[in-house]
């Protein structure tokens, strides 16, 4: 993150050709340099190389005494103080050298190193801003400092500027993700992405990031509009298929719509919310055009490992609400096989669909099995009783209904239905008195319900 290695380069350059460096810095002073100065400077480099920083400092102080305005000596002095963690002295030395030569970025980096190590971040930010004037790539260090000091708004602006000028980087992408996890910064990023799309209409990532932000904010219509714009600019994009699917579906071009849908559902890039919406739209279409039911089956298979939504169950509910109980049963059974055979909600939906479609034998078998799993769940006893009555197994119906009635609590409608089925069971057993008794109870319960 902090580009300290560049400072070490200066040390090796000094060691290899100190006269050349000093000649570039202050040629009039170097011309007058005495052997004593050069000996002292070489000695400081030697002592620094073997980490005898105190002795290096002594030699450098001798150099400064011989040449009071020598920037290189002050810079080396600051580095030795920094190695000793004598931050105050290092700071003073680096400040002196920047006064002597304010246009040398390496000298400002000395102050930056001190401020960073001492966690004086305001000074570090101020210093790195001076360095950026010499080398704009140091703005990455500024971004890091903004992140450390929680100045996310400034960091986001700087990240976008660097991405625009130098291209994206892994660190900047990570920082941006961290910032955008806080919702209040997302509007600024949305504005930035809209602007980036205007400037670079062929850059797919800007569209994708904008779609992601809109999807996260539950603004699916806006996300689809961006996908439509992407389809116009980059028709080969996977995200573009989101828009093209809708266009094809509205135009009743089923084959093209199905092809686009399969690309969407198979994509690892496209958000799951968009996938679910795509499937729902095709479900409505397939309901009106049942010849495409096999394609719907294939589409559902893409969601087999989706832990967020039981797609087969939701499709079952869709058909259930339309009164298409045969289709509902098919998808409830599919969901139970794929997930859990004992899911309470799905089993209750399946039992109701069986009852509505008068499939009493599988209904009774499943209800009896579920009683073993949920022995205190009265609905399963009710469906078992209803099924046994319809199958003329009246004794079994009576037994299971009497057991289940004990578990009915504060549900007048369910209690009334139990009494109706008990009346039917006793009627089948030839006990008309009991039949009338349970029917009267059911009638009273239904009156109380109103």
């Amino acid at each position: 993150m902090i580009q300290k290695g560049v400072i070490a380069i200066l040390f090796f350059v000094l060691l290899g050709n100190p006269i050349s460096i000093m000649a570039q810095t202050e040629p009039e002073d170097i011309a007058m340099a005495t052997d004593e100065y050069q000996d002292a400077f070489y000695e400081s480099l030697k002592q620094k190389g073997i980490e005898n920083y105190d002795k290096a400092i002594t030699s450098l102080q001798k150099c400064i005494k011989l040449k009071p305005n020598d920037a290189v000596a002050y810079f080396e002095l600051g580095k030795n103080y920094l190695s000793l963690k004598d931050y105050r002295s290092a700071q003073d030395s680096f400040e002196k050298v920047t006064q002597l030569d304010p246009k040398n970025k390496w000298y400002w980096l000395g102050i930056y190193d001190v401020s960073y190590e001492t966690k004086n971040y305001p000074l570090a930010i101020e210093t790195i801003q001076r360095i950026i004037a010499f080398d704009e790539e140091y703005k990455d260090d500024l971004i890091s400092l903004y992140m450390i000091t929680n100045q996310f708004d400034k960091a986001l602006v700087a990240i976008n500027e660097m991405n625009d000028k130098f291209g994206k980087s892994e660190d900047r992408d990570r920082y941006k993700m961290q910032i955008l996890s806080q919702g209040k910064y997302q509007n600024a990023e949305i504005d930035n992405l809209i602007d980036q799309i205007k400037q670079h209409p062929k850059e797919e990532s800007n569209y994708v990031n904008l779609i992601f932000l809109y999807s996260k904010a539950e603004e699916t219509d806006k996300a689809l509009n961006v996908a439509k714009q992407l389809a116009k600019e980059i028709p080969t994009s996977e995200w573009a298929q989101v828009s093209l699917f809708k266009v094809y579906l509205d135009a009743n071009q089923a084959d093209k719509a199905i092809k686009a849908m399969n690309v969407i559902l198979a994509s690892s890039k496209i958000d799951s919310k968009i996938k679910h919406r795509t499937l729902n739209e095709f479900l409505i279409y397939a309901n009106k055009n049942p010849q495409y039911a096999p394609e719907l089956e294939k589409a559902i298979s893409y969601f087999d490992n989706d832990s967020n939504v039981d797609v087969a169950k939701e499709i079952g509910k869709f058909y259930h609400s339309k009164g298409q109980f045969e289709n509902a049963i098919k998808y409830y059974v599919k969901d139970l096989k794929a997930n859990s055979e004992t899911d309470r909600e799905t089993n209750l939906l399946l039992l109701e669909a069986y009852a509505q479609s008068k499939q009493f034998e599988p209904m009774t078998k499943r209800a009896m099995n579920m009683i073993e799993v949920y022995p205190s769940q009265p609905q399963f006893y009710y469906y078992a009783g209803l099924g046994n009555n319809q199958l003329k197994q009246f004794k079994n119906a009576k037994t299971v209904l009497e057991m289940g009635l004990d578990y009915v609590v504060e549900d007048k409608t369910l209690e009334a239905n139990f009494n109706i089925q008990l009346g039917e069971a006793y009627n089948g057993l030839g006990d008309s008195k009991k039949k009338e008794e349970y029917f009267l109870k059911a009638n009273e319960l239904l009156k109380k319900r109103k």
Side-chain angles (χ1 to χ4, degrees), residues 366-392:
R366 181 163 288 273
M368 292 299 294
N369 287 338
M370 294 311 297
I371 287 171
E372 295 180 12
V373 180
Y374 297 100
S376 61
Q377 191 68 50
Q379 288 95 331
F380 294 124
Y381 291 90
Y382 168 74
Y383 282 112
L386 170 64
N388 275 299
N389 271 335
Q390 293 295 325
L391 296 172
K392 303 189 182 306

Side-chain angles (χ1 to χ4, degrees), residues 15-206:
L15 187 60
N17 193 0
I19 300 300
S20 173
I21 293 296
M22 288 186 283
Q24 294 175 28
T25 308
E26 296 179 9
E28 70 281 2
D29 290 340
I30 297 304
M32 299 169 60
T34 63
D35 290 342
E36 188 178 357
Y37 174 92
Q38 291 185 47
D39 289 344
F41 192 82
Y42 274 117
E43 182 64 20
S44 74
L45 295 177
K46 184 180 79 172
Q47 295 300 329
K48 179 187 173 188
I50 57 176
E51 300 184 1
N52 286 332
Y53 303 116
D54 287 326
K55 291 183 178 180
I57 288 168
T58 300
S59 294
L60 287 165
Q61 286 171 337
K62 185 176 181 181
C63 289
I64 290 169
K65 188 174 181 181
L66 291 165
K67 296 176 62 177
N69 294 320
D70 185 64
V72 174
Y74 274 109
F75 184 52
E76 283 295 309
L77 186 64
K79 289 196 289 181
N80 280 279
Y81 279 129
L82 184 59
S83 295
L84 290 172
K85 300 189 184 302
D86 184 348
Y87 298 117
R88 182 64 265 171
S89 297
Q91 178 80 14
D92 290 342
S93 299
F94 289 135
E95 285 181 356
K96 177 66 175 178
V97 77
T98 56
Q99 291 168 11
L100 292 168
D101 186 357
K103 295 183 179 181
N104 189 322
K105 74 175 181 182
W106 307 112
Y107 297 165
W108 289 105
L109 279 165
I111 296 178
Y112 178 44
D113 282 348
V114 174
S115 59
Y116 190 82
E117 288 197 22
T118 57
K119 294 182 170 56
N120 185 351
Y121 297 125
L123 179 59
I125 290 171
E126 179 186 337
T127 306
I128 206 68
Q129 285 172 331
R130 288 179 175 272
I131 296 167
I132 289 168
F134 304 117
D135 187 346
E136 196 172 358
E137 289 193 19
Y138 277 90
K139 193 175 282 187
D140 276 325
D141 293 86
L142 181 61
I143 292 168
S144 298
L145 290 166
Y146 282 148
M147 295 300 295
I148 291 170
T149 56
N150 297 322
Q151 298 184 65
F152 299 130
D153 49 349
K154 292 181 180 179
L156 188 57
V157 170
I159 287 169
N160 290 334
E161 289 174 352
M162 289 294 283
N163 285 347
D164 193 41
K165 189 156 189 176
F166 298 103
K168 295 181 180 180
S169 76
E170 187 176 328
D171 284 343
R172 275 182 248 123
D173 283 347
R174 186 177 70 254
Y175 288 145
K176 194 169 203 176
M177 190 176 297
Q178 182 181 336
I179 294 168
L180 295 181
S181 67
Q182 304 179 52
K184 65 179 182 177
Y185 295 104
Q186 290 179 8
N187 287 338
E189 177 59 9
I190 285 171
D191 291 340
N192 170 64
L193 288 168
I194 291 171
D195 185 59
Q196 289 295 312
I197 287 170
K198 289 177 182 176
Q199 293 182 45
H200 311 287
K202 300 299 182 183
E203 176 56 55
E204 182 188 31
S205 63
N206 292 323

Side-chain angles (χ1 to χ4, degrees), residues 207 226-236 239-241 243-244:
Y207 295 94
V226 177
K228 186 176 182 180
Q229 189 179 352
L230 172 59
K232 182 179 178 181
E233 297 291 346
I234 313 174
T236 57
W239 274 99
Q241 302 307 308
S243 175
L244 293 173

Side-chain angles (χ1 to χ4, degrees), residues 390-404:
Q390 293 295 325
L391 296 172
K392 303 189 182 306
Q393 303 290 326
F394 300 116
K395 187 175 181 181
N396 290 343
K398 168 185 169 297
T399 300
V400 76
L401 288 164
E402 287 176 340
M403 290 172 59

Side-chain angles (χ1 to χ4, degrees), residues 312-420:
K313 181 199 289 189
E314 294 306 313
I315 292 177
K317 288 180 180 179
F318 171 82
Y319 284 123
H320 200 130
S321 69
K322 300 290 183 183
Q324 299 179 31
F325 298 111
E326 291 288 348
N327 282 334
I329 288 168
K330 179 172 67 174
Y331 286 103
Y332 291 147
V333 170
K334 181 180 179 70
D335 179 70
L336 288 167
K337 286 181 178 178
N339 295 302
S340 170
E341 283 283 354
T342 59
D343 181 76
R344 177 182 169 276
E345 181 193 21
T346 310
N347 273 286
L348 288 173
L349 289 167
L350 176 58
L351 290 170
E352 184 184 348
Y354 276 141
Q356 292 289 344
S357 59
K358 303 187 184 307
Q359 297 186 46
F360 298 117
E361 191 168 336
M363 181 188 78
T364 305
K365 183 179 179 181
R366 181 163 288 273
M368 292 299 294
N369 287 338
M370 294 311 297
I371 287 171
E372 295 180 12
V373 180
Y374 297 100
S376 61
Q377 191 68 50
Q379 288 95 331
F380 294 124
Y381 291 90
Y382 168 74
Y383 282 112
L386 170 64
N388 275 299
N389 271 335
Q390 293 295 325
L391 296 172
K392 303 189 182 306
Q393 303 290 326
F394 300 116
K395 187 175 181 181
N396 290 343
K398 168 185 169 297
T399 300
V400 76
L401 288 164
E402 287 176 340
M403 290 172 59
L405 189 58
D406 291 338
Y407 297 110
V408 180
V409 179
E410 297 182 357
D411 188 337
K412 301 295 184 187
T413 301
L414 182 60
E415 190 177 351
N417 287 334
F418 262 91
N419 279 279
I420 290 169

Side-chain angles (χ1 to χ4, degrees), residues 210-220 223 271 273-274:
L210 185 55
I211 290 168
F212 173 78
L213 288 178
Y214 279 141
S215 297
K216 190 175 181 182
E218 305 289 342
E219 295 185 282
T220 309
D271 183 81
K273 292 177 184 176
I274 300 293

